[in-house]
Every structure is written in structure tokens, then in C-alpha cells.
Amino acid sequence: MKLRHFLLITAASSALALPVQAQNILDWGANRDIGSLDPYSFGDSFTINVLNHVYEGLVRYDRDLGIEPALATSWEILDDQVTWRFTLREGVTFHNGNTFTAEDVQASLERVSHETSPLKGNLPAYVSSEVVDDYTIDITLNGTYPLLLNDLTNIHIFDREWLVENNAELPTDIGAGVEGYATYNANGTGPFVVESRQPEAQTVFMVNPDWWDDPQHNLDGFVLRPVTSPATRVAALLSGEIDFTNDAPVQDLPRLEASPDVNVLEGVDLRTVMIGFPFRDTLASGEPNPFADIRVREAMYKAIDLDLIHERIMRGKSRIAGAVVAPPIPGYSEDLDTVPAYDLEGAKALLAEAGVPEGLSFEFNCLSDGLVNEEQFCQAIASMWSRLGLEPQLDVAPRAVQSPKRTGGNTDVYTLGWATLPMLDSYSPLIQIFHSKEGNSGVFNWGDWSYPELDALVQAAGSELDLDTRLQLQNEAMQIIKDNHIMIPLHQQPMAWAVTDAVSDMPLFPDNKPRLWFARMGGDG
Amino acid sequence: MLAFLLKRTANAAFVMLAVALLAFLIFRSFGDPVEMMVNEQATQEDRAELRERLGLNDGFFTQYVRFVTNAVQGDFGISYRNQQDVMVLIAERLPATFELVLVATVISLVVGIPLGVVTAVHRDSRLADALQLTSIVGVSLPSFVVGILLILAFSVTLGWLPAFGRGETVDIGWWSTGLLTPSGRAALVLPAVSLSTFQITLVMRLVRAEMLETLRTDYVKFARARGVPRGRVHWVHALRNCLMPVITLTGMQIGNLIAFALVTETVFQWPGMGLLFIQAVTFVDIPVMAAYLMLVSFIFVVLNTIVDVTYAWVDPRLRDDTAKAGGSNG
Amino acid sequence: MADRTDPTVAPAEPSRLAQLRDSDLWHSFRGHPSAMFAAGLLVLLALTAMTAPWITPQNPYDLAALELWNSEIPPIWEDRGQWPFLLGTDVQGRDIFSAILYGSRISLIIGFASVILALAVGLSLGLIAGYFGGWVDNVIMRVGDVLLSMPFILIAILISAVATAALPPDLKSALAAPILIVAIAVPSWVQYARTVRASAMVERKKEYVQAARLIRVKPWRIMLHHILPNTLTPIMVAATLNFGLAILSEATLSFLGVGMPADQPSLGTLIRIGNQYLFSGLWWIVVFPAIQLCLIVLSVNMIGDWLRDALNPKLN
């Protein structure tokens, strides 16, 4: 007995004495930090993406971006067409040991669609839910809605008892000036557990050994470290201070590629970059607005040398786009993906025909922390429009400063990048951007346009359960967008991740979201 | 003396209230907190409701009083950006800035004082001229250029020192220090050197000026006449007289260094209060900006009051608030 | 009549220029090669900056003049260098040589104007405070105290950031420089005010001032003609050194992103933009503006140093 104890203790202590370097800890140098540990706190896809390592939804995307079961194993639509019944997975536990049941799903759904929840727009069709038994739940919607599963991939499930215990059943009440428990603490079902969080410095995630799924990764943990300066990020990668970044600056890719210790993973993002025009009577300055005239919009389109921007600003890494959604997205049609030729003289003629005065001044609103190289291509485009004889007033500022102007209609021409996430369907831009601004629709219709035929098509698609018919309707709507140049697409932006050779496998996903539960480290380290 | 002390304290309190008013005023006109906090998809009613809940519809004076009473208790609300308690956020970042400033100050003294002595003693030599030239160059270089050059040289080209972050830190209670780990110390080097360049030249020039005066005094001449070795005269006797002004200067400059650290923190991505402030400016995160402004001003005011009181205690002539030429911040 | 010297008229004074040439200051200047060099350098830099529109191949502030296919060209002595882009171009096709000169112009103007503004405000307020005393003095000094209790850079950042956020975009580009001038001047005037106030408080007790008041000479006359000249020496030195500091401050603000915007770049803005490309091999976008900035500030500081030593009675 004693000998056995002694041997066990020796074995245990020598195990503990193993150097920390034997662990596979991935240092992730991101371009920004997450806003909080609460996935319902912002409608910001990066935060939700990172927290997806800790929390999970009823369904999730697989390696090919198809929808597969996660916390729910199967589902069906009931006869009334507005209620969906989900059968939940058994044997799942939260990080604190509590069992996952239907009550947790209900508590989470109520929390995310509460009136004070910043995320409620992500689940617009939800009305109520009913617990049928421990592993079955019914979700009732406000109408027939084909895209519930897509929405649910981003709705993460909390443990009801944990929420109640910590007074977190309601979303964080900023108005009360109190932070929520979930801002600093996490308790999910996912492959990783939050070990520590220092905002803007680092957040440490350790592997969850009791995860219900088979890990395809071999990580013992990962550390999220925000490195906001792109040049610093590159330096850190080259020196090995970080192992992986999901945002390698485009201008440094050749240097990274040339380095023997670094691998660059490139692709084209689903995010399509577009320029929007105002359709109101006056510009922000009070002068008459010429952009409601289709000839003017066409002239602005023709005056942009898309090839030059692709080559010089995006360094050949973008994909010039003629359609407002990217090829992998359901609803994409090749016929619509055509681009007019660069034609400065033709553009000038159109402007003259439309009677636009020389030196017309308008605001061109861009983000400094938005799209890839946004500030640069905005400057280049402003320069191209100046050659038309116009005077664009370039206004570049962070999202926090620009959003109020955009949503309030206080600016003129603006940029917008749309990836259709999490829905992954061309319905997303149609209902959220191109539909007229009414209720929950057209929330991103910042130009205040209205095309009734388009609205009708979109509404029809919104309740059409047959896939082909729905896509056909959506296609017709996209044709209207193209013919009228409501917004002009520029390109799908480049996606560039980079890993050091400490990482042996990091699959690149078309939606630009790292999923470290597929990552592997090691080889020769 | 007590009257003086009370008067200065009252003065300090008044100044802090004025700073609070300024902070409050400025931030009311700075971006719209409601827009900052809601999802882009929120409706007009949502926005109006949030405005009401935040108390943004109350009168100006009411909001100001609320602001000040909360501030005194260390309550600056929660950050609009990530919904964390502002004081906790700042407290977490304070050690990083403090250690940076501390190391930079030490460097400036360790390097500046000897150099100052040398330039004074060997007044017209080539060495002194070279050092003078270097000191002028040091004052003329913006600290962000120095930082970038250091990164380029020691991080990218030579790979000796890290370009960003604090390295590994050790938590002692609430404080997190980078001084106890090799990677933490390595990470401190470049930022501290970059922050200290301006200060080194200040110290050097001050020591030089003071030494030049001291070297002309009678007691130094007598010491030399008595045969005290030159080295001892310069480095022990003369230097001792210069230390008081240097200490005073350093003390008063600490506030400035803390503020100026925000440039260094931006260049090196050093997770201190300064970087937090710059990010808050970018994000229109009003509570964080207000808290930073108040905290840094508070440090300034406290330091200045201490210096004033100490001077008055030492030199009674200064006790009535007559003409004091030259500001304390130069 | 013509050749009888009139005792009530003072003998003709030598011309101002002759006075200057004879003065100690000029002799000191001639004796300091470093000061002469610095002055020469500064004159050269200022002249090229002010004549920038005539000597540069491109106006980098004119959006229509930028050609994207001219972007990222290295300096002319490198392989891919191209005439007329002597020092290369940046990612928008902006000629670096032109950008440096235009940027220097902005930096010098902002630095100079902010010092003048600070002097104007500081001297007036200081004189008024020192001369009149009482509650006027109290208020002015209180305001000064509050300003001095906040770090210089912080005040400048706040003023600049608030102003840029509050203005509509078309005004924003037009007013970018004036905003910076104010942002740097606001924390700077207090120093001058205090110096002059101290002097004014001493002088106002003197007999000649009492006498002037008795015969009803206007206060501003007294302040301007009698009190002010006595404080000029330390003020001049401080102003020169502050000129360098103002240029550095503007560069720092622009580097942090709250200064001159990217379409009207000053030297600090150019460095900020170029910093992103430092590791990508486009070193010329950062290096040349940085060198220019340092040269300007260096020459100003050298002149300021010489001036301080030359005017310092203790060292003579």
C-alpha cells in the first residue's frame, strides 16, 4: 500500500514538474480585443466569434460552412408553420458542472431578445419558447421564416442556474451603470474555458476536458492578445512572440511570405465592400442632392478605376465584385457579377447631361477602423472623383463617431461592408439594407431609398419556404439593385491569416472566423 | 504655516472642481453616448428610452453635481466600450504606466546626472561639446520618432528586445509588475529608454547649470585649495548641492511623464493608462476619458501642492503668495 | 538757426539697423558658429517651405493631382526610382519631397502662430493681472492654475479632439490648422502671463509708474511702453524655446491622429501614415519627414539655446 502510494506520488509530482513548454498554448495576436466576455453584449461578429470557443449555439457551421447540429441534435417545423421543435443533445455539461437542459435554452432566448438586449436584432423572428421536456423545446416565431437556423448559429446558450445565481438573467444594464456578471465571467459548454481576462492585454483560454464533442484540435489552451498596430503585429509574428494572427496587413504579406518561419493563409472574404448614395432631397450641407438621379450614380461608378484600386491599394489580393454578395453565398448569381469599364470621359458626359454643377461638394464618409485598407481606397476614390470636377470632402473617423452620422442620415456618400453573417444568404442584405426603412427592415438603408417592387420581392422571399423559389425571388430583387446602382459594389476584401511554424494546422474559413477547435500545433514546434 | 497649508489645500480643491467642470463640459459635446451603446439596429424609441435611463435629459447642473459626487467616490460608471467598471479598468492599467515612468525616471537620473557633471567640469572640452550637441538633439527629437527608431534597430533588425507588450507579469495583490520576470524587464527597456530621452537632457542641463554655479563658489575653491582631490570635490561636495533642484524637477516632471507616456504607450502598444486614454478618445468612451483626465490632474495637483508646501516650510519667505515667476511646468 | 543745436531736442539716434549691428547680441551671434549654422539652416528650411508651391513638382494637398499608378515609388537613387519624384512617393502617389515641404510649411505656421497667440494672450492677461491686481488678478491666476494642473499634451489633445469631433466635415478640413494653433496656445500662455505679472507687480509700485498715473497716462500705455520692455528678455528666450516645443507638439498630435488630417498632412501626419509601412519596405515615407522634422526643431532649439546664453546676465 505504502509503496503504491509512494509511486503514485512520485509519478504525480514528476508530472507536475513537467515544464510548461510541453503544453500547446497558441498565442493569438488579433487586431483588436473582444468587448466583453458576454456574447450578448454587442452585435459585433469578432466578439461573438471568439466567445464561440467558450459558448455554443443550438447549431453551428462545419468546415464547409454547412449547418450541422451542435447543442441540438434534430429539429422539425410543426404544422402551424411558425413553431420549430428542437431535440437537444443529452450528456452536455457547462463548465461549472451543471447539466444542459431545455430550460437553459429558454433562459438564453429570453435574455437575448429582451428589450434591453443589444443583440435582439440578430433574432428578429422570435416570439416565445416553451419547454416541452428536459431535452425538447418549442420555439415560436412571428411568421414563417426560413432562416431560423442561420440566426441560431450565433445565439449562444447560457446556464440558467448560473444566470439566476449571479443576477445576470437580464442583459447588462448600461443605464444603471452596473456591469453584468457575464461581462467578466463566462460559463459555457464549449471546447475552451476562460481562465483569466485582462482587457486590452490578454485573455487566457484553457481547454475544456469535458467537452461533449471529439476534439479535432490538440491545443491545451490559447491566449488572445490584441495588437492594434499592424506593423507591430507583423514584427511580433516574425519574432515568434505570437503564433497566429487573423489579420495580417496586406502590405506586409510579401515580407511574411518570404520569411521561412511564417506561413500566410490567404483567401477572399465573404465581405463585399460597397458605396452607398443618399436619396434624400438635400445633401448634409443643405444643397440639392444630385445623387437621386441614376445618371449621376452611374457616372460615379464609371469614374472609379477598379483595376487600379485592386492592383495598387489592395495589392492584387481583393476580388473585384459586380454583385453585392460573394460567390459562396446562396443567392449569388454569376450573371449579376459584371463590372462597367473605367470611363472617365463618359462619366463626365453623364454628369453634364444630368446638370450637375462643377465643383459640387459632398461628404464622403469612411471608417478608420472598418474595412481592409478602407482609408486608403477612400482616399484613392476621392481623388478619382475629384478628376470628375467634383469636390468630395473625405471624412475618415472611427466607427463610434461615424455611426451616428450614417444612421441619422447626416452624411452623403458612405462605405459599407456586408458579409451576410450569420445568415449566409442573399436575403440578409436585401432585408437589412435594400428594403425600405420600415420597422425591423432596412435598418441599414442609410441612404433612405425606396423601391416598392424590390420590397414586394423581398417580402415574398421572406416567407417562402421552398429554397429554389426563394432564391429566384431574391435574384430578381438583386437585378433591380444592379440596374439602378442603388449601391455600387467595389470588391470582396482580402482575408489574410498568418501562422508561424509552431502551428501545423489552421484551417482558413471563408467567413474569416478562426475556429481554433480545428487548430493543431506541434510538429517540430 | 497651518494657514498656508489650509490655503493651498483649498486652492487645490478648487482647481480640481474646475477641472471636473471642464471635463464634464467637454464631454457633453463629444459624440453621442446613446449611439455608442446601442446596436445599429436599434429603433428611435430604444434610443430615447436609453437616453432617459442614462439621465441625459436632466438639467446641466444636476448632471454635473452627480458627476462630481460620483467621481469623489471613485465611481466613474462603466466604460461605454466594453461595459467594465472604469475605475477597475484604470486601476488595472496603472501599474504598467507607473512602472514605465519609474524606470524612465531612474534612467534619466542615472544617465543625466553624471553627464551633467561631466559637461560642467570639463566645460570647454570636445567631450562636453559633443555631449551638449547630443543633448540638444535629444530635446529636438519627438519621442515617437525615438521609439520607432529603437523598434527598428533593436526589435526588427537585431531581434534583441520585444516590440510590444509587457512580457510576463507577476501579480502582487492588486498590483501587476513586470520587474520580476526576465521577459517583463526586457519589455520595459525600449519604452523606458524612449520615454526618458527628453528627461535625460533636462536633468543634464539642470545639473550642468547648477554645477557651473556651484563650482564658482567659495567653499569649493577652499576645498580645492585644501587639497581635496578633484574627483571628491566634484562628485561628492559640489554634486550634493545640485541634487535638491534635480529632485524637485524630477518630482514635478513625474506628472508630465505620466501624461507623455501616452505617446510611448501608443508606439509600443504598452498596456498602460495612456493607451487606454487614446483608445477611449478614438471610441468616444466618455467615462474613461473623464476618469483619466481627473486622475492625472489629481496627481499633478497633489505633486505641485507637496512641492509648494515643502518649499514654504523650508523657506518662510515664500509663505505669502507673492509673485512667483515662471510656472511649475515651464 | 539751423546750426544751433536745440537743447530740447535729443541728438539724432543712430538708425535701428546700426543699433542692432553694434549690439552685444550681434557680436555674440557672430562668435557662435553653431548659432549661425542653426540660423542659416532654419532660414533655408523656412524659405523652401514657404515657397513650396513654386518649387515642388506636385501639390500633395490637391486630390485631383494624385495619380495612383505613381504610388510606392522609391527615392530616385534606387532602382525603381523615377523623375520627378526625388524622394519617392507614398501609397496614394503623393510625392514625398513635395509633401515634406508643404508639411514643413504647415508645421512652421502652426508653431509660429501658436507662439504668437500664446504671447498675445499671455502678455495681455499677465499685464492686466499684475497692474490692476484685485479680483481681476485673482480670476486670471485661477484660470492659469487650472490650466497648469493639467498636462500640456492632454489639454492639446482634448481641445483638438473635441473641436474635430464637433465640426462638420467641410469645416473640419478648413479649420484643422487653426484648431491646432489654439490647442497648443491654450496651455502655453500661462507661463508668459506669470512672468509678466511678476514684473508688473514689481514695476507698478515704482515711482515713475505712480507719476504716470498721476498725470493720467492711460494704463495700457504704461503697461506697453514701460512695464513690458523690462520683461522682454526672459520672454524672448522662452518664446524661442517654445517655438520648438510647439512644432514638436503639433507633430505629436498629428502622429496620435488628432492633428492634421491625411489629406493635408503635416510632418507628424506623414510619419504616422508611413509608420504602417515601415516594415513593408517603404522606409522613405517615414524617414524623410522624420529627418526634416528633427532638422527644423534642432535649428530652432540651437538658436534658442544661444539666445538664452547670450541674454543671460549671469554668464557675461
mmCIF file of all heavy atoms in Angstrom, chain A residues 88 185 496:
data_model
loop_
_atom_site.group_PDB
_atom_site.id
_atom_site.type_symbol
_atom_site.label_atom_id
_atom_site.label_comp_id
_atom_site.label_asym_id
_atom_site.label_seq_id
_atom_site.Cartn_x
_atom_site.Cartn_y
_atom_site.Cartn_z
ATOM 1 N N LEU A 88 -32.799 18.306 -28.048
ATOM 2 C CA LEU A 88 -31.497 18.742 -27.581
ATOM 3 C C LEU A 88 -30.575 17.566 -27.270
ATOM 4 O O LEU A 88 -31.016 16.457 -27.006
ATOM 5 C CB LEU A 88 -31.661 19.602 -26.324
ATOM 6 C CG LEU A 88 -32.578 20.798 -26.524
ATOM 7 C CD1 LEU A 88 -32.767 21.540 -25.216
ATOM 8 C CD2 LEU A 88 -32.005 21.734 -27.581
ATOM 9 N N ASN A 185 -17.184 37.188 -16.513
ATOM 10 C CA ASN A 185 -17.161 35.760 -16.181
ATOM 11 C C ASN A 185 -17.887 34.991 -17.256
ATOM 12 O O ASN A 185 -18.870 35.458 -17.814
ATOM 13 C CB ASN A 185 -17.865 35.516 -14.836
ATOM 14 C CG ASN A 185 -17.191 36.287 -13.724
ATOM 15 O OD1 ASN A 185 -16.204 35.871 -13.165
ATOM 16 N ND2 ASN A 185 -17.742 37.444 -13.425
ATOM 17 N N ALA A 496 -6.391 37.587 -44.857
ATOM 18 C CA ALA A 496 -5.041 37.029 -44.736
ATOM 19 C C ALA A 496 -4.757 36.676 -43.296
ATOM 20 O O ALA A 496 -4.729 37.552 -42.433
ATOM 21 C CB ALA A 496 -4.009 38.028 -45.261
#
